[in-house]
């Protein structure tokens, strides 16, 4: 009986939505070589990927009061990214570490850490890593991304996978994105603002001035480059090529703490996303009104690859949508967000019990597809619950 009770006490209960997600969060933990800590990107076939790690890390750790595991995973990832910046062999098991948005997601992840422990402790622990990343980018050392004179970052990777929309068919990209990419520049602007804030605490005043001046240029160029006459953002711009597709990547420009857009511009973008992309299971990767809409990821491998980011709905994107809603409309959207989360709670008793799958069809009945358990979806849902709780506590 004592042994039985001991085993029961060590297990996380799955008696409600939140506890199911906490239990799922722990299932992504992975330790190698005794001290290297990772987050698996999903089950059953995903390994640890750099982008997925930084996106899911705050939700899977900070949102459930597990700051210690955040620091352990970040220590492993920091080691790997420093090796990458020094052009040394990467000794940690993080794939896709060379992707251009990875260092910017790393800074975003640390930014969430600062909200929990405070700016001063964050600066002491991760300040050097953040500033090393920025110097690495400003000095033009990233193989696929450069900082332009207008303050924006340009991704140069024609024919290569450069963003999270990474499906290929016969070696060709299904969603080719090159040049000024909207979510990468949103992350870049956010990183500049956060780094300038930290550097003011204890740092070189000249570097702070450099960051603020660059941020101002980025802000002006961002609006000129991405905002179109229909009240939403181009997905990417490369010379005279502007992608008019309505995609959820514009959400990051209105959800991140530092936005280059005015309040009216943010509201307009949110309204477009609500009308064309929102589903009960997250955000569609493409609007039904845009060309190439293909919302059902099923069938042979090629057919699934062609539909992977062409209309399927992803809960982790819904996390940033709900964060944007609360930032723009505050408490007036609380009940709306709570109803939106019901669509995720319904999944606790289907597919893989107690967790969220990789994606859903973009059309009713929104059937689950892909990996049976996906770290970014679980992490962002937990982070949304944490944000929602803070707004609720204010009432």
């Amino acid at each position: 009986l004592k042994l039985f009770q001991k085993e029961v006490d060590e297990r996380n209960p799955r008696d409600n939505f939140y506890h199911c997600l906490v239990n799922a969060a722990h299932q992504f933990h992975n330790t190698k070589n005794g001290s290297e800590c990772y987050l698996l990107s999903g089950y059953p076939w995903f390994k640890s990927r750099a982008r997925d790690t930084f996106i899911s890390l705050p939700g899977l750790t900070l949102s459930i009061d597990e700051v210690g595991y955040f620091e352990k995973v970040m220590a492993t990832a920091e080691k790997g990214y420093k090796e990458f910046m020094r052009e040394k062999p990467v000794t940690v098991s993080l794939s896709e570490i060379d992707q251009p948005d990875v260092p910017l997601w790393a800074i975003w992840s640390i930014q969430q850490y600062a909200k929990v422990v405070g700016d001063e402790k964050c600066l002491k622990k991760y300040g050097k890593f953040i500033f090393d990343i920025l110097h690495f980018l400003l000095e033009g050392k990233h193989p696929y991304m450069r900082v332009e004179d207008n303050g924006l970052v340009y991704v140069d990777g024609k024919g290569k996978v450069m963003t999270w929309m990474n499906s290929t068919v016969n070696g060709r990209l299904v969603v080719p994105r090159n040049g000024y990419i909207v979510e990468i520049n949103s992350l870049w602007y956010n990183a500049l603002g956060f780094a300038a804030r930290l550097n003011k605490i204890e740092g070189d005043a000249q570097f702070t001035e450099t960051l603020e001046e660059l941020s101002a240029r980025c802000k002006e160029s961002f609006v000129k480059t991405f905002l179109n006459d229909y009240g939403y953002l181009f997905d990417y711009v490369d010379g005279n090529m502007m992608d008019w597709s309505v995609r959820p990547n514009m959400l990051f420009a209105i959800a991140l703490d530092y936005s280059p857009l005015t309040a009216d511009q943010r509201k307009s973008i949110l309204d477009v996303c609500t009308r064309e992309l929102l589903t009960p299971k997250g955000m569609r990767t493409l609007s039904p009104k845009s060309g190439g809409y293909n919302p059902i990821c099923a069938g042979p491998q090629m057919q699934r690859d062609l539909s992977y980011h062409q209309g399927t709905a992803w809960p982790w994107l819904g996390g940033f949508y709900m964060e944007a809603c609360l930032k723009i409309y505050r408490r007036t959207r609380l009940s709306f967000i709570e109803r939106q989360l019901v669509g995720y709670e319904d999944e606790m008793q289907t597919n893989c019990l107690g967790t969220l799958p990789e994606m859903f069809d973009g059309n009713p009945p929104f059937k689950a597809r892909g990996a049976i358990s996906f770290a970014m979806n679980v992490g962002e849902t937990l982070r949304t619950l944490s944000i929602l709780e803070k707004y609720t506590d204010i009432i």
Side-chain angles (χ1 to χ4, degrees):
L1 183 60
K2 288 183 179 180
L3 179 61
F4 177 81
Q5 190 60 47
K6 179 177 179 293
E7 290 291 328
V8 169
D9 291 342
E10 289 178 353
R11 294 177 184 271
N12 295 298
R14 289 192 287 182
D15 53 356
N16 59 41
F17 182 42
Y18 175 75
H19 285 156
C20 282
L21 293 175
V22 172
N23 185 73
H26 292 157
Q27 292 172 349
F28 297 112
H29 291 194
N30 187 25
T31 302
K32 293 183 179 180
N33 302 323
S35 61
E36 293 178 0
C37 293
Y38 299 92
L39 292 174
L40 294 173
S41 294
Y43 288 99
W45 54 72
F46 284 114
K47 298 180 180 179
S48 295
R49 301 189 297 193
R51 178 188 296 110
D52 302 45
T53 293
F54 291 128
I55 293 174
S56 60
L57 183 56
L60 296 180
T61 57
L62 302 177
S63 295
I64 55 176
D65 300 321
E66 295 181 0
V67 176
Y69 199 73
F70 176 99
E71 293 173 346
K72 290 179 180 179
V73 174
M74 186 59 73
T76 302
E78 181 179 350
K79 176 188 175 185
Y81 206 78
K82 284 181 176 178
E83 291 170 342
F84 170 72
M85 290 192 290
R86 294 168 185 159
E87 298 185 15
K88 294 182 177 180
V90 177
T91 59
V92 301
S93 301
L94 272 181
S95 62
E96 302 178 8
I97 205 167
D98 62 338
Q99 296 285 282
D101 59 340
V102 164
L104 304 178
W105 278 119
I107 293 175
W108 173 84
S109 190
I110 293 170
Q111 185 179 14
Q112 310 316 304
Y113 176 83
K115 294 177 184 178
V116 175
V117 304
D119 283 0
E120 290 190 7
K121 183 176 179 180
C122 178
L123 176 64
K124 184 176 180 180
K125 192 165 187 67
Y126 296 119
K128 187 177 185 306
F129 182 40
I130 291 172
F131 299 136
D132 284 348
I133 288 174
L134 290 175
H135 283 298
F136 173 71
L137 298 177
L138 290 170
E139 291 166 11
K141 294 182 179 180
H142 196 285
Y144 303 119
M145 182 168 65
R146 63 178 182 267
V147 181
E148 300 272 86
D149 291 339
N150 61 6
L152 299 177
V153 288
Y154 183 95
V155 173
D156 186 8
K158 291 182 179 177
K160 297 180 181 179
V161 170
M162 287 291 117
T163 74
W164 79 277
M165 291 188 162
N166 56 2
S167 57
T168 59
V169 172
N170 296 326
R172 300 186 66 178
L173 299 178
V174 177
V175 186
R177 306 174 73 220
N178 195 74
Y180 299 127
I181 298 172
V182 68
E183 78 272 18
I184 295 181
N185 277 282
S186 301
L187 287 162
W188 170 241
Y189 181 80
N190 178 71
L192 291 173
F194 176 58
R197 189 180 86 204
L198 287 184
N199 200 58
K200 283 180 180 178
I201 298 173
E202 183 181 338
D204 180 4
Q206 186 175 356
F207 186 51
T208 300
E209 186 178 339
T210 298
L211 292 174
E212 290 178 339
E213 190 276 331
L214 183 58
S215 178
R217 271 189 285 143
C218 179
K219 179 177 182 177
E220 181 180 358
S221 299
F222 187 97
V223 176
K224 288 181 179 178
T225 302
F226 292 105
L227 188 65
N228 60 47
D229 294 337
Y230 294 92
Y232 68 95
L233 302 179
F234 294 121
D235 194 52
Y236 70 90
V237 176
D238 188 10
N240 294 323
M241 169 61 192
M242 296 166 289
D243 186 1
W244 291 80
S245 302
V246 176
R247 292 189 183 275
N249 302 308
M250 69 177 99
L251 274 172
F252 301 104
I254 62 175
L256 300 178
D257 290 345
Y258 292 89
S259 172
L261 303 166
T262 66
D264 287 342
Q265 290 166 346
R266 295 198 300 270
K267 287 179 181 178
S268 175
I269 291 164
L270 185 67
D271 288 345
V272 171
C273 290
T274 303
R275 288 196 308 268
E276 301 193 28
L277 301 177
L278 183 64
T279 78
K281 306 297 183 183
M283 306 303 288
R284 292 187 180 100
T285 45
L286 183 65
S287 167
K289 297 181 179 179
S290 297
Y293 181 66
N294 189 355
I296 299 175
C297 187
Q301 183 68 49
M302 180 181 292
Q303 185 175 328
R304 283 181 280 135
D305 288 337
L306 287 170
S307 63
Y308 197 48
H309 299 112
Q310 293 290 80
T312 50
W314 297 63
W316 77 274
L317 294 168
F320 286 96
Y321 169 83
M322 288 183 274
E323 183 178 16
C325 275
L326 291 171
K327 283 182 176 177
I328 293 171
Y329 291 105
R330 303 284 176 179
R331 289 179 294 173
T332 60
R333 288 293 175 97
L334 282 176
S335 60
F336 170 74
I337 300 303
E338 289 169 349
R339 291 196 303 273
Q340 185 67 22
L341 286 167
V342 171
Y344 303 158
E345 187 170 358
D346 290 344
E347 295 302 316
M348 295 298 99
Q349 301 181 51
T350 58
N351 304 299
C352 184
L353 298 180
T355 188
L356 292 169
E358 185 177 2
M359 75 193 101
F360 297 85
D361 291 341
N363 283 1
F366 306 108
K367 187 175 180 180
R369 305 286 184 181
I372 58 174
S373 184
F374 199 60
M376 292 200 298
N377 290 343
V378 173
E380 270 305 286
T381 305
L382 280 168
R383 195 172 72 88
T384 301
L385 288 170
S386 178
I387 295 171
L388 188 65
E389 184 178 5
K390 292 175 184 177
Y391 276 91
T392 305
D393 289 343
I394 297 173
I395 298 176

mmCIF file of all heavy atoms in Angstrom, residues 263-284:
data_model
loop_
_atom_site.group_PDB
_atom_site.id
_atom_site.type_symbol
_atom_site.label_atom_id
_atom_site.label_comp_id
_atom_site.label_asym_id
_atom_site.label_seq_id
_atom_site.Cartn_x
_atom_site.Cartn_y
_atom_site.Cartn_z
ATOM 1 N N ALA A 263 -2.051 51.401 -32.636
ATOM 2 C CA ALA A 263 -3.192 50.654 -32.089
ATOM 3 C C ALA A 263 -4.221 50.361 -33.171
ATOM 4 O O ALA A 263 -4.762 49.246 -33.246
ATOM 5 C CB ALA A 263 -3.828 51.438 -30.941
ATOM 6 N N ASP A 264 -4.518 51.331 -34.021
ATOM 7 C CA ASP A 264 -5.499 51.123 -35.092
ATOM 8 C C ASP A 264 -5.016 50.083 -36.095
ATOM 9 O O ASP A 264 -5.802 49.259 -36.584
ATOM 10 C CB ASP A 264 -5.790 52.448 -35.808
ATOM 11 C CG ASP A 264 -6.637 53.393 -34.966
ATOM 12 O OD1 ASP A 264 -7.272 52.917 -34.000
ATOM 13 O OD2 ASP A 264 -6.658 54.602 -35.275
ATOM 14 N N GLN A 265 -3.739 50.113 -36.407
ATOM 15 C CA GLN A 265 -3.183 49.121 -37.343
ATOM 16 C C GLN A 265 -3.245 47.726 -36.743
ATOM 17 O O GLN A 265 -3.576 46.754 -37.444
ATOM 18 C CB GLN A 265 -1.739 49.497 -37.688
ATOM 19 C CG GLN A 265 -1.618 50.737 -38.557
ATOM 20 C CD GLN A 265 -0.201 51.294 -38.600
ATOM 21 O OE1 GLN A 265 0.664 50.929 -37.791
ATOM 22 N NE2 GLN A 265 0.058 52.183 -39.550
ATOM 23 N N ARG A 266 -2.957 47.605 -35.467
ATOM 24 C CA ARG A 266 -3.006 46.292 -34.804
ATOM 25 C C ARG A 266 -4.435 45.755 -34.784
ATOM 26 O O ARG A 266 -4.667 44.560 -35.014
ATOM 27 C CB ARG A 266 -2.445 46.383 -33.382
ATOM 28 C CG ARG A 266 -0.970 46.719 -33.323
ATOM 29 C CD ARG A 266 -0.353 46.381 -31.979
ATOM 30 N NE ARG A 266 -0.971 47.106 -30.883
ATOM 31 C CZ ARG A 266 -0.570 48.291 -30.451
ATOM 32 N NH1 ARG A 266 0.430 48.908 -31.036
ATOM 33 N NH2 ARG A 266 -1.172 48.865 -29.428
ATOM 34 N N LYS A 267 -5.395 46.625 -34.517
ATOM 35 C CA LYS A 267 -6.797 46.191 -34.509
ATOM 36 C C LYS A 267 -7.237 45.719 -35.885
ATOM 37 O O LYS A 267 -7.961 44.720 -36.009
ATOM 38 C CB LYS A 267 -7.689 47.340 -34.033
ATOM 39 C CG LYS A 267 -7.595 47.623 -32.541
ATOM 40 C CD LYS A 267 -8.494 48.779 -32.141
ATOM 41 C CE LYS A 267 -8.385 49.071 -30.653
ATOM 42 N NZ LYS A 267 -9.225 50.222 -30.252
ATOM 43 N N SER A 268 -6.832 46.418 -36.915
ATOM 44 C CA SER A 268 -7.199 46.033 -38.278
ATOM 45 C C SER A 268 -6.655 44.654 -38.626
ATOM 46 O O SER A 268 -7.358 43.811 -39.196
ATOM 47 C CB SER A 268 -6.671 47.074 -39.269
ATOM 48 O OG SER A 268 -6.917 46.676 -40.601
ATOM 49 N N ILE A 269 -5.403 44.408 -38.260
ATOM 50 C CA ILE A 269 -4.775 43.112 -38.544
ATOM 51 C C ILE A 269 -5.464 41.998 -37.758
ATOM 52 O O ILE A 269 -5.730 40.911 -38.288
ATOM 53 C CB ILE A 269 -3.272 43.175 -38.206
ATOM 54 C CG1 ILE A 269 -2.552 44.093 -39.201
ATOM 55 C CG2 ILE A 269 -2.639 41.783 -38.213
ATOM 56 C CD1 ILE A 269 -1.180 44.527 -38.751
ATOM 57 N N LEU A 270 -5.767 42.273 -36.493
ATOM 58 C CA LEU A 270 -6.460 41.274 -35.676
ATOM 59 C C LEU A 270 -7.826 40.944 -36.266
ATOM 60 O O LEU A 270 -8.233 39.772 -36.285
ATOM 61 C CB LEU A 270 -6.608 41.784 -34.248
ATOM 62 C CG LEU A 270 -7.216 40.793 -33.251
ATOM 63 C CD1 LEU A 270 -6.267 39.626 -33.015
ATOM 64 C CD2 LEU A 270 -7.541 41.481 -31.929
ATOM 65 N N ASP A 271 -8.523 41.938 -36.759
ATOM 66 C CA ASP A 271 -9.845 41.705 -37.347
ATOM 67 C C ASP A 271 -9.753 40.817 -38.590
ATOM 68 O O ASP A 271 -10.587 39.930 -38.797
ATOM 69 C CB ASP A 271 -10.504 43.040 -37.708
ATOM 70 C CG ASP A 271 -10.964 43.811 -36.483
ATOM 71 O OD1 ASP A 271 -11.031 43.205 -35.398
ATOM 72 O OD2 ASP A 271 -11.243 45.017 -36.612
ATOM 73 N N VAL A 272 -8.746 41.050 -39.414
ATOM 74 C CA VAL A 272 -8.549 40.209 -40.606
ATOM 75 C C VAL A 272 -8.272 38.771 -40.193
ATOM 76 O O VAL A 272 -8.831 37.816 -40.753
ATOM 77 C CB VAL A 272 -7.406 40.754 -41.481
ATOM 78 C CG1 VAL A 272 -7.063 39.768 -42.603
ATOM 79 C CG2 VAL A 272 -7.781 42.103 -42.077
ATOM 80 N N CYS A 273 -7.412 38.592 -39.199
ATOM 81 C CA CYS A 273 -7.085 37.245 -38.713
ATOM 82 C C CYS A 273 -8.314 36.553 -38.133
ATOM 83 O O CYS A 273 -8.507 35.347 -38.330
ATOM 84 C CB CYS A 273 -5.980 37.321 -37.665
ATOM 85 S SG CYS A 273 -4.360 37.781 -38.313
ATOM 86 N N THR A 274 -9.141 37.312 -37.432
ATOM 87 C CA THR A 274 -10.353 36.747 -36.841
ATOM 88 C C THR A 274 -11.323 36.289 -37.919
ATOM 89 O O THR A 274 -11.897 35.202 -37.833
ATOM 90 C CB THR A 274 -11.033 37.780 -35.923
ATOM 91 O OG1 THR A 274 -10.117 38.203 -34.917
ATOM 92 C CG2 THR A 274 -12.271 37.181 -35.247
ATOM 93 N N ARG A 275 -11.507 37.120 -38.916
ATOM 94 C CA ARG A 275 -12.468 36.792 -39.983
ATOM 95 C C ARG A 275 -12.015 35.625 -40.846
ATOM 96 O O ARG A 275 -12.824 34.778 -41.226
ATOM 97 C CB ARG A 275 -12.686 38.016 -40.887
ATOM 98 C CG ARG A 275 -13.486 39.140 -40.272
ATOM 99 C CD ARG A 275 -13.975 40.096 -41.352
ATOM 100 N NE ARG A 275 -12.897 40.565 -42.217
ATOM 101 C CZ ARG A 275 -12.193 41.683 -42.011
ATOM 102 N NH1 ARG A 275 -12.452 42.421 -40.937
ATOM 103 N NH2 ARG A 275 -11.250 42.055 -42.842
ATOM 104 N N GLU A 276 -10.742 35.548 -41.164
ATOM 105 C CA GLU A 276 -10.289 34.626 -42.207
ATOM 106 C C GLU A 276 -9.460 33.447 -41.709
ATOM 107 O O GLU A 276 -9.333 32.454 -42.420
ATOM 108 C CB GLU A 276 -9.493 35.396 -43.263
ATOM 109 C CG GLU A 276 -10.301 36.508 -43.931
ATOM 110 C CD GLU A 276 -9.640 37.056 -45.180
ATOM 111 O OE1 GLU A 276 -8.888 36.306 -45.839
ATOM 112 O OE2 GLU A 276 -9.878 38.233 -45.503
ATOM 113 N N LEU A 277 -8.904 33.536 -40.507
ATOM 114 C CA LEU A 277 -7.974 32.501 -40.071
ATOM 115 C C LEU A 277 -8.398 31.747 -38.815
ATOM 116 O O LEU A 277 -7.973 30.616 -38.597
ATOM 117 C CB LEU A 277 -6.584 33.108 -39.827
ATOM 118 C CG LEU A 277 -5.931 33.797 -41.030
ATOM 119 C CD1 LEU A 277 -4.603 34.422 -40.615
ATOM 120 C CD2 LEU A 277 -5.715 32.819 -42.178
ATOM 121 N N LEU A 278 -9.219 32.353 -37.987
ATOM 122 C CA LEU A 278 -9.559 31.737 -36.700
ATOM 123 C C LEU A 278 -10.475 30.536 -36.852
ATOM 124 O O LEU A 278 -11.463 30.584 -37.582
ATOM 125 C CB LEU A 278 -10.217 32.776 -35.792
ATOM 126 C CG LEU A 278 -10.581 32.311 -34.381
ATOM 127 C CD1 LEU A 278 -9.323 31.951 -33.590
ATOM 128 C CD2 LEU A 278 -11.395 33.375 -33.657
ATOM 129 N N THR A 279 -10.133 29.463 -36.147
ATOM 130 C CA THR A 279 -10.983 28.271 -36.041
ATOM 131 C C THR A 279 -11.065 27.884 -34.561
ATOM 132 O O THR A 279 -10.302 28.395 -33.736
ATOM 133 C CB THR A 279 -10.402 27.071 -36.829
ATOM 134 O OG1 THR A 279 -9.334 26.483 -36.063
ATOM 135 C CG2 THR A 279 -9.892 27.496 -38.201
ATOM 136 N N PRO A 280 -11.939 26.946 -34.193
ATOM 137 C CA PRO A 280 -11.982 26.495 -32.790
ATOM 138 C C PRO A 280 -10.723 25.747 -32.356
ATOM 139 O O PRO A 280 -10.557 25.464 -31.179
ATOM 140 C CB PRO A 280 -13.200 25.566 -32.760
ATOM 141 C CG PRO A 280 -14.026 25.959 -33.939
ATOM 142 C CD PRO A 280 -13.049 26.378 -34.977
ATOM 143 N N LYS A 281 -9.846 25.417 -33.309
ATOM 144 C CA LYS A 281 -8.649 24.636 -33.002
ATOM 145 C C LYS A 281 -7.361 25.409 -33.275
ATOM 146 O O LYS A 281 -6.288 24.813 -33.395
ATOM 147 C CB LYS A 281 -8.643 23.331 -33.821
ATOM 148 C CG LYS A 281 -9.897 22.493 -33.684
ATOM 149 C CD LYS A 281 -10.120 21.986 -32.272
ATOM 150 C CE LYS A 281 -11.367 21.092 -32.189
ATOM 151 N NZ LYS A 281 -11.632 20.650 -30.805
ATOM 152 N N GLY A 282 -7.457 26.708 -33.376
ATOM 153 C CA GLY A 282 -6.254 27.489 -33.643
ATOM 154 C C GLY A 282 -6.390 28.294 -34.921
ATOM 155 O O GLY A 282 -7.501 28.495 -35.436
ATOM 156 N N MET A 283 -5.265 28.737 -35.451
ATOM 157 C CA MET A 283 -5.253 29.613 -36.618
ATOM 158 C C MET A 283 -4.919 28.842 -37.890
ATOM 159 O O MET A 283 -3.979 28.038 -37.915
ATOM 160 C CB MET A 283 -4.218 30.726 -36.433
ATOM 161 C CG MET A 283 -4.391 31.529 -35.151
ATOM 162 S SD MET A 283 -6.007 32.303 -34.994
ATOM 163 C CE MET A 283 -5.867 33.587 -36.231
ATOM 164 N N ARG A 284 -5.703 29.096 -38.929
ATOM 165 C CA ARG A 284 -5.377 28.522 -40.235
ATOM 166 C C ARG A 284 -4.042 29.084 -40.724
ATOM 167 O O ARG A 284 -3.709 30.246 -40.468
ATOM 168 C CB ARG A 284 -6.446 28.865 -41.267
ATOM 169 C CG ARG A 284 -7.799 28.218 -41.035
ATOM 170 C CD ARG A 284 -8.721 28.510 -42.216
ATOM 171 N NE ARG A 284 -10.035 27.913 -42.036
ATOM 172 C CZ ARG A 284 -11.112 28.577 -41.613
ATOM 173 N NH1 ARG A 284 -11.010 29.871 -41.320
ATOM 174 N NH2 ARG A 284 -12.269 27.960 -41.476
#
